[in-house]
Amino acid sequence: MPARSPFTSHDLDTLAACPRRLWLERNVQAETTQVAKPAFAGHPERDQILHAALAATPEGQRICDGPDLQAAVNETNRHLGHNDHRPLFNACFIAAGLADAVTHDPAPAITVTADMLLPAGEDSWILVEILPALRIRERSLERVAHKIAVLERCGIEIAGAIIRTINPDFVLERPGEYRGLFSDHHVLGRVRHLVNDVPGILKAAQAVMKEPEPELPLGPHCTNPAPCRFLPHCTAHAPGPQWPVTILPDGGWKKWKRKGYDDLLALDEHEIKPREAMIVAATRSGRPFHDLEGAREAIGQWTYPRAWIDFEAASPALPRWIGTQPFQQVPFQFSLHLEQADGSISHHEYLCCDGSDPRKGCAQALVAAIPVDATLIAYNAGFERSVLRRLARDVPDHAAPLLSMAERTVDLQPVARSCWYHRAQRGSWSMKAVLPSVADLDYDRLEVKGGAMAQDRFLEAIDPSTTRERRQEIEAALRAYCRQDTWAMILLARRLTTAA
Ligand code: SF4
């Protein structure tokens, strides 16, 4: 077996979230030596945000973050050795033998990347952690502590530590002008006491890796703040009942857990709320719950033409288009199936992946495609309404029709929630959960499988370094994904209003 690569700050974050995830990540990833990724490694805007920070510090130097860890460490040492006291981006360090304060045993090696080092004096530096978020999180403080421990072990004197978050009030006024984008928070006093914990955390990570895969139970940490990529694996190998009480939605499971129930099927249908009883009954019988009359009544009120619509939007931390702010939702795509009273359906779409501001084109395409008397139908429609209202503000020439569209938008999801449940949904009414029970369609065979992935692909497509061929591939994948979203709504509505 090849030698293990040093732990990274990301590994220690992962250990805190779930030791099993650490074990899985390090055992499935290629056993090659990698440069430690910065705090926002994997963030689709990493390079652009670093570039904006670099542009605000033109005298800074950037260490190349290629795959060769030792080369990055050597380059860092070379720059530090020149002693010219210029800011350094992506400085890479590796430390072995951090001392455990209790046992004095040496901890395993760890490598970190300092997003920025600012000279603070003759021989000291200020560590800057760039966080593509509006607020500091506890994990960010811990990550700064990991880095201070490593840098100090490498002989770097730390005079200060800053977490640089995104300023929510920033508005892009000129292309590429990002002065004022960041807000600095001095945190050395808040993290100093955490630095001593780092050797112990490293040894805990090492202990996890020495053992077989930990059998830890599933829990809220598996889906919050984002679904863990090992969820299918852990679900398949989860001990316990096939239908756990945690299936009950909206936190309804908590009281049953407190009472000692694990198995959904052990609940007495007569002692629980009607909605929970419906879930238990559908799970027990294997037959879906279907309120045909309720669905017909709700959907029958939606007049024709019906505009089944879905938006994809990007909310980049780094505003790209004039007048936009950090994390503002900017629609770059919609799919629209337009259904007439005679049953005929036409498909319309909009997609802008060339990097230009997509808002005006999106507004024009909506106004051109959607009749003034159409009912707009979305799934979880709050998002579509907010996109339309924001677009009305941003493209005032089309404000009136866009606001009218927002007013005419109805929501299919509450109808599904009250009129349909199949046990395969496992307590979820997301389109991905519902669709397999009503149609021979799923998202697994698509290259783009969800909204977050659509946004990532879009940001990749508009990146100037993306080739034309890759951009075309992404466009095709985005079109297929968004089109499926609106077609799926039609199939779901048909199933809801049709007797078995
Ligand atoms: S699915 Fe849950 S238990 Fe499994 S690795 Fe991920 S966070 Fe850990």
Side-chain angles (χ1 to χ4, degrees):
M1 193 173 175
R4 289 220 178 262
S5 54
F7 286 107
T8 66
S9 197
H10 169 78
D11 288 333
L12 302 195
D13 280 355
T14 307
L15 175 72
C18 174
R20 187 177 193 177
R21 195 188 307 175
L22 172 71
W23 192 96
L24 288 165
E25 276 191 359
R26 283 184 64 89
N27 277 302
V28 299
Q29 76 184 12
E31 296 270 356
T32 52
T33 304
Q34 296 286 325
V35 171
K37 296 297 183 196
F40 46 99
H43 193 284
E45 298 178 83
R46 174 180 177 271
D47 267 359
Q48 289 86 351
I49 293 170
L50 256 193
H51 191 77
L54 196 54
T57 317
E59 71 278 21
Q61 307 163 91
R62 180 174 177 171
I63 304 294
C64 170
D65 60 349
D68 187 338
L69 171 62
Q70 197 54 55
V73 171
N74 293 344
E75 192 182 341
T76 299
N77 289 336
R78 204 164 50 249
H79 279 287
L80 291 171
H82 286 158
N83 207 21
D84 57 2
H85 295 285
R86 291 164 62 187
L88 208 52
F89 284 73
N90 261 356
C92 191
F93 300 87
I94 183 164
L98 281 162
D100 184 315
V102 179
T103 64
H104 302 289
D105 288 345
I110 174 171
T111 177
V112 298
T113 298
D115 298 337
M116 259 177 103
L117 282 177
L118 299 177
E122 269 302 292
D123 291 311
S124 60
W125 297 85
I126 296 170
L127 171 69
V128 181
E129 175 87 354
I130 300 173
L131 188 65
L134 300 178
R135 280 179 296 282
I136 296 178
R137 303 176 190 120
E138 189 60 30
R139 287 277 158 74
S140 319
L141 296 170
E142 291 167 3
R143 204 177 298 130
V144 170
H146 305 157
K147 295 186 180 185
I148 291 175
V150 173
L151 268 65
E152 289 185 336
R153 173 75 181 168
C154 293
I156 307 295
E157 189 181 325
I158 297 297
I162 290 172
I163 294 183
R164 187 163 279 185
T165 57
I166 304 286
N167 171 12
D169 299 324
F170 176 83
V171 180
L172 186 67
E173 288 172 352
R174 279 186 293 280
E177 173 56 69
Y178 289 109
R179 209 168 316 156
L181 174 67
F182 299 108
S183 301
D184 283 359
H185 312 265
H186 292 265
V187 296
L188 186 58
R190 293 169 69 185
V191 303
R192 191 32 97 188
H193 71 286
L194 299 172
V195 174
N196 293 338
D197 297 341
V198 176
I201 299 170
L202 275 168
K203 291 178 74 178
Q206 186 181 42
V208 167
M209 298 312 302
K210 279 184 176 164
E211 299 293 328
E213 179 183 340
E215 285 197 15
L216 295 173
L218 299 169
H221 61 289
C222 303
T223 48
N224 189 14
C228 171
R229 68 182 166 117
F230 299 111
L231 202 45
H233 165 88
C234 294
T235 305
H237 295 89
Q242 182 184 7
W243 306 103
V245 286
T246 49
I247 281 174
L248 291 176
D250 306 324
W253 56 272
K254 288 180 188 166
K255 74 170 182 253
W256 297 109
K257 270 282 193 193
R258 276 198 300 273
K259 289 181 179 178
Y261 285 89
D262 285 321
D263 190 345
L264 184 75
L265 302 184
L267 301 184
D268 184 340
E269 288 167 48
H270 304 293
E271 288 185 9
I272 57 180
K273 292 178 185 168
R275 201 166 126 83
E276 295 176 350
M278 176 273 285
I279 291 173
V280 172
T283 305
R284 198 169 270 149
S285 69
R287 286 190 303 278
F289 164 79
H290 187 192
D291 178 1
L292 177 64
E293 290 312 313
R296 282 179 173 166
E297 191 184 332
I299 293 175
Q301 294 173 16
W302 299 343
T303 58
Y304 291 92
R306 291 174 176 173
W308 305 85
I309 189 156
D310 180 64
F311 285 110
E312 299 305 327
S315 48
L318 191 70
R320 310 299 170 89
W321 303 286
I322 301 301
T324 61
Q325 293 185 276
F327 301 109
Q328 179 182 327
Q329 297 270 13
V330 176
F332 60 85
Q333 179 179 20
F334 71 77
S335 168
L336 169 72
H337 277 94
L338 192 62
E339 183 182 21
Q340 305 293 344
D342 64 5
S344 62
I345 296 175
S346 55
H347 184 249
H348 310 260
E349 64 184 349
Y350 173 78
L351 176 62
C352 177
C353 282
D354 63 6
S356 64
D357 188 339
R359 291 172 295 173
K360 190 170 180 187
C362 184
Q364 288 171 337
L366 285 165
V367 172
I370 299 181
V372 292
D373 57 344
T375 302
L376 286 81
I377 306 163
Y379 202 77
N380 201 4
F383 173 69
E384 271 68 24
R385 286 193 204 103
S386 73
V387 166
L388 286 164
R389 289 188 184 121
R390 178 75 212 208
L391 209 48
R393 283 217 299 278
D394 291 350
V395 190
D397 288 353
H398 296 297
L402 292 168
L403 288 173
S404 168
M405 287 177 203
E407 292 303 311
R408 286 180 283 133
T409 301
V410 297
D411 198 341
L412 178 60
Q413 192 185 47
V415 183
R417 285 181 80 93
S418 59
C419 298
W420 180 265
Y421 182 77
H422 189 288
R423 67 181 182 182
Q425 292 171 228
R426 298 185 76 84
S428 168
W429 278 268
S430 74
M431 182 55 89
K432 279 171 204 61
V434 176
L435 190 57
S437 70
V438 298
D440 185 22
L441 274 183
D442 66 43
Y443 287 82
D444 285 342
R445 57 190 169 203
L446 297 178
E447 185 191 330
V448 173
K449 302 182 197 312
M453 194 184 266
Q455 176 175 192
D456 286 355
R457 292 289 186 274
F458 168 73
L459 293 174
E460 182 189 345
I462 65 171
D463 190 301
S465 67
T466 301
T467 64
R468 193 156 61 90
E469 291 71 27
R470 177 63 185 145
R471 189 170 300 125
Q472 287 170 346
E473 272 174 32
I474 292 171
E475 284 178 2
L478 286 170
R479 286 183 204 280
Y481 167 69
C482 201
R483 185 182 183 119
Q484 174 156 309
D485 267 351
T486 49
W487 181 240
M489 278 195 282
I490 292 177
L491 296 184
L492 173 57
R494 283 180 184 168
R495 181 68 189 90
L496 290 178
T497 51
T498 305

